Amino acid sequence: MVKGLYTAYTGMINEQHRMDVLTNNLANASTVGYKKEGATSQAFDEVLAVKIKDTTDPVRAKALGKISLGVKIGENYTDYSQGSLRETHNNYDMAIAGTGFFTVEFRNKAGETSTKYTRDGSFTLNKEGYLVTQDGDYVLGKNGRIQLNTLQNSVIDKQGNIFQNNNLVATLDITDFEDYNYLEKYGENYYQPVEGATEKEGDYQIATGFLEMSNMKVVSEMVEMISVSRAYETNQKLVQTYDSTLEIAANQIGKV
């Protein structure tokens, strides 16, 4: 009986975790370049149940068979599928149609710089003419930071080449990876590679004047949220049922 109480409890914890992931996805429904997350569930390893201290059995310990202890939280994963493109008519808004990430020089609050990757192409020019993100981080090209003449129009082709006055000024550094399992979310819509990540050339086209939107579908997430809520309530009712049964066993049957 107590085992059933524990099993229902693990179910509630697992559904709560799934709900956290879904609500985070919904909160980023309008975040440019956001890739939705999902959660997996795993069963605990089966253990051998043994009956002990049974005075009717001379052996006093008898194997009952293998049992499961419920469900546990598995791994989170990220869906890197292509999001829809929204036209903005802003020349420095860019979207990657295909695979790969924009390469950014990120500066943290301590003043330390590192290379991060993002699908968020909502860029602009700062007063020095450098191409930067909305947070002011430098967008990197093949030769480092990209500096443009603010008095001239820029033309960006599908390969990420930037022209001014028909002259090639810079080329966007689009980085892709062999296995996205070696990427982790850093925060601020950035990704960073972990040990074992291998870079490769991406298969992409740059769409100028467009932004890639989140790849999550609000309706699908809401339907999943309803399913998770009902599963949580089911486990909650089980806990209440076991609690009532234990109360009867302790307060009523125990007095006989």
Side-chain angles (χ1 to χ4, degrees):
M1 186 180 297
V2 176
K3 170 190 170 295
L5 184 66
Y6 179 79
T7 301
Y9 162 76
T10 61
M12 291 175 64
I13 295 296
N14 182 67
E15 297 304 330
Q16 182 178 356
H17 174 71
R18 291 178 61 197
M19 181 65 75
D20 290 341
V21 173
L22 289 171
T23 53
N24 181 64
N25 286 338
L26 286 170
N28 288 280
S30 59
T31 300
V32 177
Y34 177 79
K35 301 302 180 185
K36 72 173 184 176
E37 293 182 327
T40 61
S41 304
Q42 293 178 306
F44 281 101
D45 294 336
E46 291 186 340
V47 296
L48 182 64
V50 178
K51 180 172 65 174
I52 61 176
K53 295 183 179 180
D54 187 352
T55 57
T56 63
D57 189 344
V59 180
R60 296 291 182 92
K62 184 178 181 180
L64 300 178
K66 291 185 176 180
I67 61 173
S68 174
L69 297 179
V71 64
K72 62 180 178 179
I73 297 172
E75 296 180 353
N76 282 14
Y77 63 89
T78 302
D79 179 2
Y80 289 96
S81 61
Q82 179 79 45
S84 61
L85 303 186
R86 177 172 62 86
E87 190 171 9
T88 64
H89 301 289
N90 184 346
N91 194 44
Y92 293 112
D93 281 343
M94 307 175 206
I96 299 175
T99 61
F101 300 84
F102 296 107
T103 308
V104 175
E105 181 184 302
F106 171 73
R107 181 183 295 273
N108 62 20
K109 294 181 180 179
E112 302 168 336
T113 60
S114 58
T115 301
K116 305 297 182 198
Y117 303 92
T118 184
R119 295 280 295 195
D120 183 355
S122 51
F123 303 140
T124 187
L125 296 182
N126 64 14
K127 59 182 180 181
E128 288 86 16
Y130 286 102
L131 189 66
V132 296
T133 67
Q134 295 297 318
D135 293 328
D137 297 320
Y138 293 100
V139 180
L140 297 180
K142 298 292 185 182
N143 298 315
R145 297 177 180 177
I146 298 174
Q147 187 174 26
L148 305 175
N149 188 334
T150 58
L151 301 179
Q152 297 180 1
N153 292 327
S154 300
V155 177
I156 306 169
D157 66 15
K158 294 181 179 180
Q159 285 70 48
N161 298 310
I162 304 176
F163 297 88
Q164 287 190 320
N165 270 350
N166 294 323
N167 296 318
L168 179 62
V169 178
T171 301
L172 291 168
D173 185 12
I174 306 298
T175 306
D176 198 11
F177 297 88
E178 292 282 354
D179 189 347
Y180 290 167
N181 288 321
Y182 291 96
L183 285 180
E184 65 178 8
K185 288 188 175 182
Y186 176 80
E188 301 184 45
N189 221 1
Y190 289 140
Y191 297 88
Q192 65 181 6
V194 299
E195 185 177 355
T198 304
E199 296 183 5
K200 71 170 185 177
E201 289 291 329
D203 181 15
Y204 64 90
Q205 290 184 345
I206 301 298
T208 306
F210 290 84
L211 290 175
E212 180 188 8
M213 305 311 295
S214 170
N215 67 346
M216 63 145 292
K217 298 179 180 179
V218 174
V219 174
S220 298
E221 298 298 300
M222 290 297 293
V223 170
E224 185 69 17
M225 183 176 289
I226 293 172
S227 175
V228 169
S229 297
R230 289 176 176 172
Y232 184 90
E233 290 173 359
T234 300
N235 283 288
Q236 188 178 41
K237 289 178 180 178
L238 281 173
V239 170
Q240 292 172 347
T241 301
Y242 278 118
D243 182 60
S244 299
T245 305
L246 288 171
E247 182 180 5
I248 293 173
N251 296 336
Q252 298 181 24
I253 299 176
K255 293 180 180 180
V256 178

